[in-house]
Every structure is written in C-alpha cells, then in structure tokens.
Coordinates of all heavy atoms in Angstrom, one line a residue:
S8 N -31.8 -53.8 -31.2 CA -30.5 -54.4 -30.6 C -30.5 -55.9 -30.8 O -31.4 -56.5 -31.2 CB -30.5 -54.0 -29.2 OG -31.5 -54.5 -28.4
G9 N -29.3 -56.4 -30.5 CA -29.2 -57.9 -30.5 C -28.7 -58.4 -31.9 O -28.4 -57.6 -32.8
A10 N -28.8 -59.7 -32.1 CA -28.4 -60.3 -33.3 C -29.3 -60.0 -34.4 O -30.5 -59.7 -34.2 CB -28.3 -61.8 -33.1
V11 N -28.8 -60.0 -35.6 CA -29.6 -59.7 -36.8 C -30.4 -61.0 -37.2 O -29.9 -62.1 -37.3 CB -28.8 -59.3 -38.0 CG1 -29.6 -59.2 -39.3 CG2 -28.0 -58.0 -37.8
R12 N -31.7 -60.8 -37.3 CA -32.6 -61.9 -37.7 C -32.9 -61.7 -39.2 O -32.9 -60.6 -39.7 CB -33.9 -61.9 -37.0 CG -33.8 -61.8 -35.5 CD -35.1 -61.8 -34.8 NE -35.0 -61.7 -33.3 CZ -36.0 -61.8 -32.5 NH1 -37.2 -62.1 -32.9 NH2 -35.8 -61.7 -31.2
T13 N -33.2 -62.8 -39.9 CA -33.4 -62.7 -41.3 C -34.8 -63.3 -41.6 O -35.2 -64.4 -41.1 CB -32.4 -63.5 -42.2 OG1 -31.1 -62.9 -41.9 CG2 -32.7 -63.4 -43.7
A14 N -35.6 -62.6 -42.4 CA -36.9 -63.0 -42.8 C -37.1 -62.9 -44.3 O -36.7 -61.9 -44.9 CB -38.0 -62.2 -42.1
R15 N -37.6 -64.0 -44.9 CA -37.9 -63.9 -46.4 C -39.3 -63.5 -46.6 O -40.2 -64.1 -46.0 CB -37.6 -65.3 -47.0 CG -38.1 -65.3 -48.5 CD -37.4 -66.3 -49.3 NE -36.1 -65.8 -49.7 CZ -35.3 -66.3 -50.6 NH1 -35.7 -67.3 -51.4 NH2 -34.1 -65.8 -50.9
L16 N -39.5 -62.4 -47.3 CA -40.8 -61.9 -47.5 C -41.1 -61.8 -49.0 O -40.2 -61.8 -49.8 CB -41.0 -60.4 -47.0 CG -41.0 -60.2 -45.5 CD1 -39.6 -60.5 -44.8 CD2 -41.4 -58.8 -45.1
H17 N -42.4 -61.8 -49.3 CA -42.8 -61.7 -50.7 C -43.6 -60.4 -50.9 O -44.6 -60.2 -50.2 CB -43.6 -62.9 -51.2 CG -42.8 -64.2 -51.2 ND1 -42.5 -65.0 -50.1 CD2 -42.2 -64.8 -52.3 CE1 -41.8 -66.0 -50.5 NE2 -41.6 -65.9 -51.8
R18 N -43.2 -59.6 -51.8 CA -43.8 -58.3 -52.0 C -45.3 -58.5 -52.4 O -45.6 -59.4 -53.0 CB -43.1 -57.5 -53.0 CG -41.6 -57.1 -52.7 CD -41.0 -56.5 -53.9 NE -39.6 -56.1 -53.6 CZ -38.5 -56.9 -53.9 NH1 -38.7 -58.1 -54.4 NH2 -37.3 -56.4 -53.7
A19 N -46.1 -57.5 -52.0 CA -47.5 -57.5 -52.3 C -48.0 -56.2 -52.7 O -47.5 -55.2 -52.3 CB -48.3 -58.0 -51.1
A20 N -49.0 -56.2 -53.6 CA -49.7 -54.9 -54.0 C -50.6 -54.5 -52.9 O -51.4 -55.3 -52.4 CB -50.5 -55.1 -55.3
M21 N -50.4 -53.3 -52.4 CA -51.1 -52.9 -51.2 C -51.7 -51.5 -51.4 O -51.3 -50.7 -52.2 CB -50.2 -52.9 -50.0 CG -49.4 -54.2 -49.8 SD -48.3 -54.1 -48.4 CE -49.6 -54.1 -47.1
L22 N -52.7 -51.2 -50.5 CA -53.3 -49.9 -50.4 C -52.8 -49.3 -49.0 O -53.0 -50.0 -48.0 CB -54.8 -49.9 -50.5 CG -55.4 -49.9 -51.9 CD1 -56.9 -50.0 -51.7 CD2 -55.1 -48.6 -52.6
A23 N -52.2 -48.2 -49.0 CA -51.7 -47.6 -47.8 C -52.9 -47.3 -46.8 O -53.9 -46.7 -47.3 CB -50.9 -46.4 -48.0
Q24 N -52.7 -47.7 -45.6 CA -53.7 -47.3 -44.6 C -53.2 -46.1 -43.8 O -52.3 -46.2 -43.0 CB -53.9 -48.5 -43.6 CG -54.5 -49.8 -44.3 CD -55.9 -49.5 -44.8 OE1 -56.7 -48.9 -44.2 NE2 -56.2 -50.0 -46.0
T25 N -53.8 -45.0 -44.1 CA -53.3 -43.7 -43.5 C -54.1 -43.3 -42.3 O -53.7 -42.3 -41.6 CB -53.2 -42.6 -44.5 OG1 -54.5 -42.4 -45.1 CG2 -52.3 -42.9 -45.7
V26 N -55.2 -44.0 -42.0 CA -56.0 -43.6 -40.9 C -56.2 -44.8 -39.9 O -56.6 -45.9 -40.4 CB -57.4 -43.1 -41.3 CG1 -58.3 -42.8 -40.1 CG2 -57.3 -41.9 -42.3
T27 N -55.8 -44.6 -38.7 CA -55.9 -45.6 -37.6 C -56.7 -45.1 -36.5 O -56.6 -43.9 -36.1 CB -54.5 -46.0 -37.2 OG1 -53.7 -46.4 -38.3 CG2 -54.6 -47.2 -36.2
T28 N -57.6 -45.9 -35.9 CA -58.4 -45.5 -34.8 C -58.3 -46.5 -33.6 O -58.0 -47.7 -33.9 CB -59.9 -45.4 -35.2 OG1 -60.4 -46.6 -35.5 CG2 -60.1 -44.4 -36.3
R29 N -58.5 -46.0 -32.4 CA -58.7 -46.9 -31.3 C -59.4 -46.1 -30.2 O -59.4 -44.9 -30.1 CB -57.3 -47.4 -30.8 CG -56.5 -46.4 -30.0 CD -55.3 -47.1 -29.3 NE -54.5 -46.1 -28.5 CZ -53.4 -45.7 -28.9 NH1 -52.9 -46.1 -30.0 NH2 -52.7 -44.8 -28.1
A30 N -60.1 -46.9 -29.4 CA -60.8 -46.3 -28.2 C -59.9 -46.0 -27.1 O -59.0 -46.8 -26.8 CB -61.9 -47.3 -27.8
M31 N -60.1 -44.9 -26.5 CA -59.3 -44.5 -25.3 C -60.3 -44.6 -24.1 O -61.4 -45.1 -24.2 CB -58.7 -43.1 -25.4 CG -57.8 -43.0 -26.6 SD -57.2 -41.4 -26.9 CE -56.2 -41.1 -25.5
T32 N -59.9 -44.0 -23.0 CA -60.8 -44.1 -21.8 C -61.8 -43.0 -21.8 O -61.7 -42.0 -22.6 CB -59.9 -43.9 -20.5 OG1 -59.2 -42.7 -20.6 CG2 -58.9 -45.0 -20.4
N33 N -62.9 -43.1 -21.0 CA -63.9 -42.1 -20.8 C -64.6 -41.7 -22.1 O -65.0 -40.5 -22.3 CB -63.3 -40.9 -20.2 CG -62.7 -41.2 -18.8 OD1 -63.2 -42.0 -18.1 ND2 -61.6 -40.5 -18.5
G34 N -64.7 -42.6 -23.1 CA -65.5 -42.4 -24.3 C -64.7 -41.5 -25.3 O -65.4 -41.0 -26.3
V35 N -63.4 -41.3 -25.1 CA -62.6 -40.5 -26.1 C -62.0 -41.5 -27.2 O -61.6 -42.6 -26.8 CB -61.5 -39.8 -25.4 CG1 -60.6 -39.0 -26.4 CG2 -62.1 -38.8 -24.4
S36 N -62.0 -41.0 -28.4 CA -61.5 -41.8 -29.5 C -60.2 -41.2 -30.0 O -60.1 -40.0 -30.1 CB -62.5 -42.0 -30.6 OG -63.6 -42.7 -30.2
W37 N -59.2 -42.0 -30.4 CA -57.9 -41.6 -30.9 C -57.9 -41.9 -32.4 O -58.2 -43.0 -32.8 CB -56.8 -42.3 -30.2 CG -55.4 -42.0 -30.6 CD1 -54.6 -41.0 -30.3 CD2 -54.7 -42.9 -31.5 NE1 -53.4 -41.1 -31.0 CE2 -53.4 -42.3 -31.7 CE3 -54.9 -44.1 -32.2 CZ2 -52.4 -42.9 -32.5 CZ3 -53.9 -44.7 -32.9 CH2 -52.7 -44.1 -33.1
I38 N -57.6 -40.9 -33.2 CA -57.5 -41.1 -34.7 C -56.2 -40.6 -35.1 O -55.8 -39.4 -34.9 CB -58.6 -40.4 -35.4 CG1 -60.0 -40.8 -35.0 CG2 -58.5 -40.6 -36.9 CD1 -61.2 -40.1 -35.6
Q39 N -55.4 -41.5 -35.7 CA -54.1 -41.1 -36.2 C -54.2 -41.0 -37.8 O -54.7 -41.9 -38.4 CB -53.0 -42.1 -35.9 CG -51.6 -41.7 -36.4 CD -50.6 -42.7 -36.1 OE1 -50.8 -43.9 -36.2 NE2 -49.4 -42.3 -35.8
V40 N -53.7 -39.9 -38.3 CA -53.5 -39.7 -39.8 C -52.0 -39.7 -40.0 O -51.3 -38.8 -39.6 CB -54.2 -38.5 -40.3 CG1 -54.0 -38.3 -41.8 CG2 -55.7 -38.5 -39.9
S41 N -51.5 -40.8 -40.7 CA -50.0 -40.9 -40.9 C -49.5 -40.2 -42.1 O -48.3 -40.0 -42.2 CB -49.7 -42.4 -40.9 OG -50.3 -43.0 -42.0
A42 N -50.4 -39.9 -43.1 CA -50.0 -39.2 -44.3 C -51.3 -38.8 -45.0 O -52.4 -39.3 -44.7 CB -49.2 -40.1 -45.2
F43 N -51.2 -37.9 -46.0 CA -52.4 -37.5 -46.7 C -52.3 -38.0 -48.1 O -51.5 -37.4 -48.9 CB -52.5 -35.9 -46.7 CG -52.8 -35.4 -45.3 CD1 -51.8 -35.0 -44.4 CD2 -54.1 -35.3 -44.8 CE1 -52.0 -34.5 -43.2 CE2 -54.4 -34.9 -43.6 CZ -53.4 -34.5 -42.7
E44 N -53.1 -39.0 -48.4 CA -53.0 -39.6 -49.7 C -54.4 -39.6 -50.3 O -55.4 -39.1 -49.7 CB -52.4 -41.0 -49.6 CG -51.0 -41.0 -49.2 CD -50.3 -42.4 -49.0 OE1 -51.1 -43.4 -49.0 OE2 -49.1 -42.4 -48.8
G45 N -54.6 -40.3 -51.5 CA -55.8 -40.2 -52.2 C -57.1 -40.6 -51.5 O -58.1 -40.0 -51.6
R46 N -56.9 -41.6 -50.6 CA -58.1 -42.1 -49.9 C -58.2 -41.7 -48.4 O -59.0 -42.2 -47.7 CB -58.1 -43.7 -49.9 CG -58.4 -44.3 -51.3 CD -58.5 -45.8 -51.3 NE -59.4 -46.2 -50.3 CZ -60.7 -46.3 -50.5 NH1 -61.2 -46.0 -51.7 NH2 -61.6 -46.8 -49.5
T47 N -57.3 -40.8 -48.0 CA -57.2 -40.4 -46.6 C -58.5 -39.8 -46.1 O -59.1 -40.3 -45.0 CB -56.1 -39.5 -46.3 OG1 -54.9 -40.1 -46.7 CG2 -56.0 -39.1 -44.9
A48 N -59.1 -38.9 -46.8 CA -60.4 -38.3 -46.4 C -61.5 -39.3 -46.3 O -62.3 -39.3 -45.4 CB -60.8 -37.1 -47.2
H49 N -61.5 -40.1 -47.3 CA -62.5 -41.2 -47.4 C -62.4 -42.1 -46.2 O -63.4 -42.5 -45.5 CB -62.4 -42.0 -48.7 CG -63.3 -43.2 -48.8 ND1 -63.0 -44.4 -48.2 CD2 -64.5 -43.3 -49.5 CE1 -64.0 -45.3 -48.5 NE2 -64.9 -44.6 -49.2
D50 N -61.2 -42.5 -45.9 CA -60.9 -43.4 -44.8 C -61.3 -42.8 -43.4 O -61.7 -43.4 -42.5 CB -59.5 -43.9 -44.8 CG -59.2 -44.9 -45.9 OD1 -60.2 -45.4 -46.5 OD2 -58.0 -45.1 -46.2

C-alpha cells in the first residue's frame, strides 16, 4: 500500500536458495523447502 517507491537494481547471476532453516522453541527446528531444484537435496 501507499506511494510507489522506485529502486534501481543491477541484475546478478545467482544460485537459488531453496532450503531455509531456523531454530524454534524447545529444541525444534524449522526447515522450509521452497522448490525442488538441482541442489535442493544437497542443501
């Protein structure tokens, strides 16, 4: 919402990060898999 902001960005060659982790409470870990790509199992 609100006014449109403008940002100038420069494209970059990237490797998709499809696996994200974070610590939760009581020793439980959260792992998100956002897509299944070539390095997903490795990551």
Side-chain angles (χ1 to χ4, degrees):
S8 61
V11 175
R12 309 180 184 191
T13 302
R15 169 152 288 195
L16 290 71
H17 291 82
R18 299 175 179 91
M21 307 181 70
L22 279 174
Q24 297 295 319
T25 58
V26 177
T27 306
T28 64
R29 74 165 181 258
M31 299 174 68
T32 58
N33 301 323
V35 175
S36 295
W37 175 84
I38 301 177
Q39 181 185 38
V40 179
S41 60
F43 292 94
E44 297 178 348
R46 290 184 55 84
T47 300
H49 176 278
D50 291 344

